[in-house]
Amino acid sequence: MSSVSQPNPASIPVTEGNTDLASRTIAVPRWVVYFQAALLGLVATTFFIFGLMVGNLTSVTPSGVAAKFDCQVSGIVRFDAGDSPVPDAGAVIFLLPKNSRPEERSAGNLVSPDGFEPLNNPGIEVVNQLGGAVVRADESGRFNVVIDASKSGVDYFLLVVSKNVSNDNPQPLTKLQVATIGTFYLPVERVMNDRAIYWSTIKARTEKIELPVVDF
């Protein structure tokens, strides 16, 4: 019986049909794998941040809840010096919350143009704590007041007391003016100290309000 000889593996031609699996494996550098993973992470993070932004922009304020914001109120105070208006530097500007009442009232002379002290002044703090403000006009007659709407409502009385103009023809204050000023300061007349005043009401519905020029 003749023996069947086995073919020598080295003599078998290599074709697509009998190529070893290892010879068909694609080698990928490790840095490519890391780069793809980092890229996928970056894409996922981008979409996450985008989703948060869209959510914040489309969020709806619950019904009946007023939006809270800080409102900047700016203006200029002047007085007639003869030839032309000049800045009323040192005039005192009050933004008094309409529906707020402090626990204690302060002395009126602490916020008058003659006795005004910008630091450590309880006459200022009594209004600031309720979301209002008390400031002085600068050398150019300009003032800028920031209303903290998170501490009170958004309706305010504006009181401007001149530094340089006396009240030569005094008009009696209305009952509303006396009641409002007296809510924060006593005696009321010491706040004005015989100076000219300007009175108005502000509806702080926007983030920035530029008031008309106050001329004494």
Side-chain angles (χ1 to χ4, degrees):
M1 177 179 298
S2 61
S3 62
V4 179
S5 61
Q6 298 295 327
N8 185 1
S11 64
I12 299 177
V14 178
T15 63
E16 183 178 354
N18 60 10
T19 301
D20 186 78
L21 178 62
S23 65
R24 291 185 284 113
T25 302
I26 300 176
V28 179
R30 183 175 300 177
W31 69 268
V32 175
V33 178
Y34 290 162
F35 176 79
Q36 290 177 337
L39 184 61
L40 291 174
L42 178 61
V43 172
T45 302
T46 301
F47 276 98
F48 177 77
I49 296 175
F50 179 78
L52 289 178
M53 294 174 61
V54 172
N56 290 333
L57 291 175
T58 57
S59 60
V60 179
T61 302
S63 177
V65 178
K68 300 296 184 180
F69 57 88
D70 289 344
C71 176
Q72 294 186 11
V73 182
S74 302
I76 298 175
V77 185
R78 306 182 304 188
F79 69 97
D80 188 2
D83 297 334
S84 61
V86 296
D88 195 352
V92 182
I93 297 91
F94 301 80
L95 279 175
L96 305 175
K98 183 177 180 180
N99 298 316
S100 298
R101 179 180 293 272
E103 296 181 358
E104 295 183 3
R105 288 176 285 190
S106 182
N109 62 295
L110 295 177
V111 289
S112 70
D114 294 327
F116 191 94
E117 291 292 340
L119 300 177
N120 301 321
N121 189 334
I124 298 176
E125 292 299 324
V126 73
V127 176
N128 288 351
Q129 290 173 359
L130 295 175
V134 182
V135 297
R136 281 191 302 187
D138 61 20
E139 294 300 320
S140 63
R142 176 166 287 277
F143 65 89
N144 184 65
V145 178
V146 178
I147 299 174
D148 185 358
S150 65
K151 296 183 180 179
S152 68
V154 289
D155 293 335
Y156 298 85
F157 291 111
L158 170 67
L159 169 63
V160 182
V161 181
S162 175
K163 168 68 174 178
N164 298 282
V165 180
S166 299
N167 193 6
D168 296 331
N169 298 306
Q171 297 293 326
L173 298 176
T174 66
K175 292 182 179 180
L176 175 61
Q177 292 170 341
V178 172
T180 301
I181 300 172
T183 298
F184 299 91
Y185 305 105
L186 286 178
V188 172
E189 57 271 12
R190 293 298 298 275
V191 175
M192 284 74 68
N193 202 21
D194 295 327
R195 303 300 174 87
I197 70 167
Y198 172 87
W199 182 271
S200 182
T201 302
I202 292 181
K203 301 286 186 180
R205 307 300 188 195
T206 61
E207 295 182 1
K208 291 185 178 181
I209 298 176
E210 182 71 26
L211 297 174
V213 176
V214 177
D215 282 317
F216 288 111

